Amino acid sequence: MSTFSDGTRSVHAGLPEPVVGEPFLPGPVFAAPYHLDPATGPGTHGYARTEHPTRELLEKAIGALEGGPALVFSSGQAAITALLLAVLRTGDTVVLPADGYFTVRAFAEATLRELGVKVVLAPTAGPYPDLTGVRLVLLETPANPGLDVVDVRAVASRAHEAGALVAVDNTTATPLGQNPLALGADFVVASGTKALTGHSDVLLGYVAAGDADLLGKVETWRKQTGAVPGAFDCWLAHRSIATLDLRLARQTANASAVAELLLNREDVTGVRWPGLPSDPSYAVASAQMRRIPGVVSFDLGSAARVAAFLSAARLVFAATSFGGVHTTADRRAQWGDDTSPGFVRFSCGIEDTADLVADVTAALDASR
Ligand SMILES: *Cc1c(COP(=O)(O)O)cnc(C)c1O
């Protein structure tokens, strides 16, 4: 399948060989334990925390798109914390993004420091500290919510020279936007809750790795701590991946039009979209990414104007998370992260571009 293009790969990712009279994507298997052979004991499937056929098909799909075997988790946070706790030990140093997903920093503050892990924060756009003595570097690119981009190849080569492992949070880009394993990362972590599944109805996370031994540690961690997703969520996620290429194509087209529109308005500041030639991330993003995601960020100056904009818009739902088929916008400061009061993370859905542009324009005018 790897010789086909993105749309074909999305549709066929992880599907089993066709069986006459059976669906293309087998339905979810609802099981905790399975029947055992009374004489020989466990065969391929014994207990669902360890082995599950619906989950395994989804892992095959994600692994095919990422370019390395994958393990799915019950949320993105479960996947990221599994990687951190499976790899890091007391006395280790970890480098985390200063401007990435805020719960990762909160986890480092609350748990990693207490375990005696030294936490160093680095801005996604750099500069990166000396990596001597570092065990793991976690990158997030494009970073959520500020959308800075880091040259994964360059940091991975510096990290490997220093003996450090590299993980990349691929949530915002998705595996059709970039393949961190091919860029030199040892691990990919991601939330599948966002654009990967894209319907705002599933929590999911995954860890992928180029090296089976490295992933084995994470698998043991998952088996012993138990953060596996349920069968129905795995099936919903797999079903949704079939349309990933189509959804991303429309989201990117919408983001391009929205970013252009915002850039040309005097009442909007700080417009960021790595696909804009004037964006600070443009050069690295165009060299490294296969497509630019549908998330745009900007500043409307105050919480009141964001509220007025969202009330006036008919096609923009106020919601956190991003990457779904519906256009949503999130004023990040309401969650207590360190963005300015009027900062908005805007996630383009798959509505018609002209409708979305007209609605955003009208809502900005009405909220002036
Ligand atoms: C949402 C998100 C996460 C956490 O994912 P959940 O599925 O909500 O647990 C991690 N990293 C990034 C970049 C995210 O956007």
Side-chain angles (χ1 to χ4, degrees):
M1 278 299 153
S2 58
T3 58
F4 289 109
S5 293
D6 286 357
T8 313
R9 292 169 65 228
S10 303
V11 169
H12 286 276
L15 293 187
E17 284 301 313
V19 177
V20 173
E22 296 294 328
F24 312 138
L25 175 64
V29 171
F30 295 111
Y34 311 86
H35 279 298
L36 297 181
D37 184 315
T40 61
T44 50
H45 291 109
Y47 189 57
R49 196 177 68 240
T50 318
E51 312 95 16
H52 192 284
T54 309
R55 196 168 76 216
E56 285 152 14
L57 289 180
L58 173 63
E59 288 172 338
K60 234 180 111 195
I62 294 173
L65 297 179
E66 283 291 1
L71 295 168
V72 293
F73 288 79
S74 49
S75 70
Q77 269 306 111
I80 294 167
T81 55
L83 175 71
L84 294 173
L85 292 169
V87 167
L88 297 170
R89 292 293 173 266
T90 301
D92 283 349
T93 299
V94 63
V95 177
L96 300 177
D99 49 349
Y101 188 66
F102 75 108
T103 313
V104 173
R105 289 195 300 283
F107 172 76
E109 237 5 277
T111 303
L112 293 181
R113 281 198 210 277
E114 274 195 11
L115 292 175
V117 173
K118 188 171 169 220
V119 178
V120 176
L121 299 180
T124 296
Y128 283 80
D130 180 15
L131 299 176
T132 311
V134 169
R135 174 82 180 122
L136 176 71
V137 180
L138 173 66
L139 304 173
E140 186 182 312
T141 182
N144 167 23
L147 303 179
D148 273 333
V149 168
V150 55
D151 183 338
V152 173
R153 262 199 203 93
V155 176
S157 111
R158 277 188 53 196
H160 290 153
E161 267 170 39
L165 293 165
V166 176
V168 175
D169 186 325
N170 208 22
T171 301
T172 305
T174 85
L176 294 191
Q178 71 193 0
N179 292 118
L181 296 178
L183 297 170
D186 302 288
F187 295 102
V188 176
V189 293
S191 169
T193 310
K194 316 291 171 52
L196 181 76
T197 60
H199 289 68
S200 309
D201 54 9
V202 164
L203 282 169
L204 186 79
Y206 66 89
V207 177
D211 179 298
D213 284 348
L214 284 178
L215 198 64
K217 270 190 115 163
V218 180
E219 184 166 23
T220 302
W221 177 271
R222 186 184 67 175
K223 180 160 59 181
Q224 294 173 356
T225 59
V228 289
F232 190 62
D233 283 359
C234 288
W235 182 85
L236 266 182
H238 200 163
R239 193 274 306 258
S240 302
I241 286 173
T243 56
L244 180 59
D245 171 69
L246 286 175
R247 287 184 282 108
L248 291 179
R250 179 62 67 81
Q251 286 172 340
T252 301
N254 283 351
S256 173
V258 167
E260 202 66 50
L261 133 74
L262 295 172
L263 202 59
N264 288 319
R265 290 189 66 111
E266 271 155 22
D267 57 345
V268 180
T269 60
V271 179
R272 292 296 310 269
W273 188 60
L276 284 173
S278 58
D279 193 272
S281 297
Y282 181 76
V284 182
S286 2
Q288 163 169 291
M289 302 184 69
R290 300 171 55 218
R291 53 175 103 198
I292 308 297
V295 183
V296 180
S297 63
F298 54 90
D299 204 310
L300 292 185
S302 69
R305 177 142 195 249
V306 176
F309 165 70
L310 290 173
S311 306
R314 293 192 303 163
L315 301 182
V316 186
F317 295 136
T320 193
S321 194
F322 58 93
V325 294
H326 318 85
T327 293
T328 60
D330 194 18
R331 193 178 71 81
R332 288 303 306 164
Q334 72 188 318
W335 305 99
D337 78 4
D338 48 7
T339 52
S340 64
F343 176 91
V344 176
R345 183 183 63 207
F346 191 93
S347 173
C348 294
I350 62 167
E351 299 88 352
D352 292 290
T353 307
D355 290 343
L356 187 60
V357 164
D359 191 57
V360 170
T361 303
L364 286 172
D365 289 343
S367 67
R368 248 221 264 245

